[in-house]
Amino acid sequence: MKNDKKNRLETLLSRSALAAVVMVGSATVQAESVFVGHLADLSGATSFVGKSYAQGVTDALNYVNQNGGIDGVTLEYETHDYAYKIPQAIGTYKRWKASKGMVAMQGWGTGDTEALISFVARDEVPNFSASYSAHLTDPQGKNPETKKPAPYNFFYGPSYSDGARALVTWAREDWDKRKQDRDPVFVFAGTDKPYAESMRPAAESRARELGFVVKPNLVVPLGAGDKTAACLSIKNTGADYVFNGNLGGAVLAMLRDCEKVGVTATIVSNVWGVDRGLLVAAKPSQPIITVAATPSWESDVEGMSLVRKISALSDPEGNEARNHHYLRGVCSVFYMKEAMQWAKANGGITGPNIKQGMYQKKDWVPEGLNGVCQPSTWTAEDHRGTMNVNIIQARYDGKPLMSSVAVVPVERRAEWLGN
């Protein structure tokens, strides 16, 4: 692989990992390979975070191939920048399935992942997505509120809904410590697209359950334009806690404009809403509370040794301080890898066998990633891998700082499966 620093992202993300060629005597024998599709947003509305997650996926796929593949089977893959456009995602999926014999996919956004639920179920192609929509967690459609059963959808980390419930639980505890003589005011501010809408009902219903005064949600477009009007609306609600349902440039603009108009509410944010890059760009005067399913780049947990080896594939000089999106991309690939290893030993690397491989372990951490990936358990009835949500305080003090302030265990309620 070439490591042209200027163009390494395009190079690494556009090329396929080709099947290894093994020389036996004077004959050339093509090693066995399987194809994995990789949908990424490198240029669309979510590319602010999409690029780093995609780099984590790509580096991890390359690392697997350079270290024996799936017990000798090479992962052939192709990364497609679908620019966060659902029709492109669906068209690419169909092409991969028809012409590549795809056995699994590393997916991306909520809109496209949900649009593909029926496709991947019909075709028996496990989709390991970067959408953590709770709609993907009910494999059998047990909950009558579930839109569609999602037997072939998996993701690493707590769902958006469970993350929201944990953030609201933290906010209630934070408010109680302040010993105020009134109930706290809560408002959800985010895009009306599937991404934010997948978490809004959970955030608002949990807030009502815990005694918040819940104001009508505010629609804030997923773009980097002026957010002054939205910030004035937030201020007028008298909110004590604002749930950020956006990411990237939209959050950067909201932080900037809300400080200008004097919004003092505590911001709690979904997992994609805050990262190192945003803290450096925004330099917020007040901490933001968010969630993370991996440690910070500076962590000395055991598994970071492997992560740094993986990172070196695209950053051999070691200049990049990776954010938690990159690390989740690594975890996603390594869970898939170990499910594939089980599949290979139990009938072959096929979609149905990979799915069964996801059910074989309890409190599962991929080998070599202790402390990086949270212990997770998937079952044929419940695809909520983890219910423990790490609450993070994100702030800027001359450098980006993200530190854990609590771990909130979310109840595994039946009515929350798929919602």
Side-chain angles (χ1 to χ4, degrees):
M1 183 198 318
K2 296 182 180 179
N3 281 310
D4 182 342
K5 191 170 183 179
K6 180 179 178 182
N7 296 307
R8 71 170 182 269
L9 188 60
E10 290 97 350
T11 301
L12 288 170
L13 295 179
S14 63
R15 65 182 299 183
S16 295
L18 300 177
V21 176
V22 181
M23 299 301 295
V24 180
S26 61
T28 300
V29 179
Q30 189 73 23
E32 183 183 359
S33 68
V34 293
F35 181 83
V36 176
H38 177 205
L39 283 175
D41 181 9
L42 308 178
S43 60
T46 62
S47 59
F48 188 93
V49 293
K51 291 177 182 178
S52 55
Y53 184 89
Q55 191 70 69
V57 169
T58 303
D59 287 351
L61 289 169
N62 287 333
Y63 186 88
V64 169
N65 279 336
Q66 292 182 21
N67 290 272
I70 308 300
D71 297 334
V73 177
T74 300
L75 296 179
E76 182 184 354
Y77 73 90
E78 176 182 309
T79 297
H80 178 74
D81 175 14
Y82 75 110
Y84 207 59
K85 297 176 181 177
I86 294 174
Q88 279 199 30
I90 294 174
T92 301
Y93 170 86
K94 290 180 177 179
R95 175 175 62 82
W96 283 338
K97 182 57 184 170
S99 65
K100 299 284 190 178
M102 177 170 55
V103 299
M105 184 167 73
Q106 290 288 325
W108 176 244
T110 296
D112 45 280
T113 300
E114 291 187 350
L116 287 168
I117 288 175
S118 297
F119 289 89
V120 299
R122 179 197 66 196
D123 298 333
E124 299 180 319
V125 175
N127 185 0
F128 298 83
S129 74
S131 168
Y132 311 138
S133 170
H135 304 154
L136 309 171
T137 63
D138 187 358
Q140 297 181 356
K142 284 189 172 184
N143 190 333
E145 298 299 318
T146 297
K147 293 181 178 180
K148 295 179 182 178
Y152 276 82
N153 286 90
F154 298 91
F155 57 76
Y156 164 68
S159 73
Y160 292 144
S161 294
D162 288 332
R165 293 177 180 115
L167 285 166
V168 172
T169 301
W170 174 89
R172 182 72 233 197
E173 294 172 354
D174 178 66
W175 182 258
D176 291 343
K177 291 175 185 176
R178 301 185 191 185
K179 301 186 182 301
Q180 301 289 323
D181 59 359
R182 62 178 177 83
D183 291 327
V185 178
F186 176 91
V187 65
F188 185 99
T191 177
D192 56 358
K193 304 303 182 186
Y195 162 65
E197 281 297 297
S198 70
M199 64 190 90
R200 181 179 63 79
E204 293 179 341
S205 63
R206 183 60 172 163
R208 292 189 185 95
E209 185 178 20
L210 294 179
F212 284 83
V213 176
V214 179
K215 298 290 186 175
N217 68 294
L218 301 173
V219 176
V220 182
L222 190 60
D226 189 278
K227 308 296 182 191
T228 301
C231 291
L232 287 171
S233 295
I234 290 171
K235 188 175 182 179
N236 290 338
T237 66
D240 299 294
Y241 297 89
V242 177
F243 192 104
N244 163 47
N246 281 343
L247 51 75
V251 180
L252 185 61
M254 189 178 82
L255 291 174
R256 176 196 64 212
D257 294 338
C258 284
E259 286 201 4
K260 287 181 182 177
V261 302
V263 172
T264 59
T266 298
I267 296 176
V268 298
S269 175
N270 74 89
V271 68
W272 294 106
V274 184
D275 57 34
R276 303 173 69 98
L278 183 131
L279 291 173
V280 171
K283 298 179 175 58
S285 60
Q286 299 296 324
I288 303 167
I289 304 301
T290 187
V291 299
T294 57
S296 68
W297 181 249
E298 292 80 9
S299 173
D300 61 357
V301 298
E302 179 183 348
M304 286 303 295
S305 174
L306 175 56
V307 171
R308 291 191 174 93
K309 292 177 183 177
I310 295 167
S311 175
L313 294 184
S314 60
D315 178 36
E317 298 87 4
N319 295 325
E320 294 282 350
R322 305 294 190 179
N323 60 32
H324 60 130
H325 312 319
Y326 179 97
L327 270 66
R328 289 200 310 280
V330 170
C331 289
S332 180
V333 169
F334 272 71
Y335 279 110
M336 180 187 74
K337 171 202 170 191
E338 293 195 0
M340 285 179 162
Q341 288 176 319
W342 184 90
K344 185 174 187 294
N346 290 272
I349 305 177
T350 65
N353 286 345
I354 295 168
K355 177 167 79 84
Q356 289 303 312
M358 292 296 293
Y359 303 146
Q360 300 306 311
K361 298 179 182 179
K362 184 178 180 181
D363 297 328
W364 173 16
V365 176
E367 184 178 357
L369 291 172
N370 290 330
V372 174
C373 310
Q374 292 183 13
S376 301
T377 304
W378 291 269
T379 71
E381 294 78 32
D382 192 335
H383 282 191
R384 290 175 288 186
T386 180
M387 305 299 287
N388 292 321
V389 182
N390 193 15
I391 306 297
I392 300 294
Q393 183 191 75
R395 59 193 177 91
Y396 187 82
D397 185 10
K399 60 181 180 180
L401 299 170
M402 299 183 72
S403 56
S404 177
V405 295
V407 175
V408 176
V410 178
E411 298 174 72
R412 196 179 284 274
R413 295 187 192 176
E415 66 269 25
W416 287 350
L417 177 64
N419 288 290

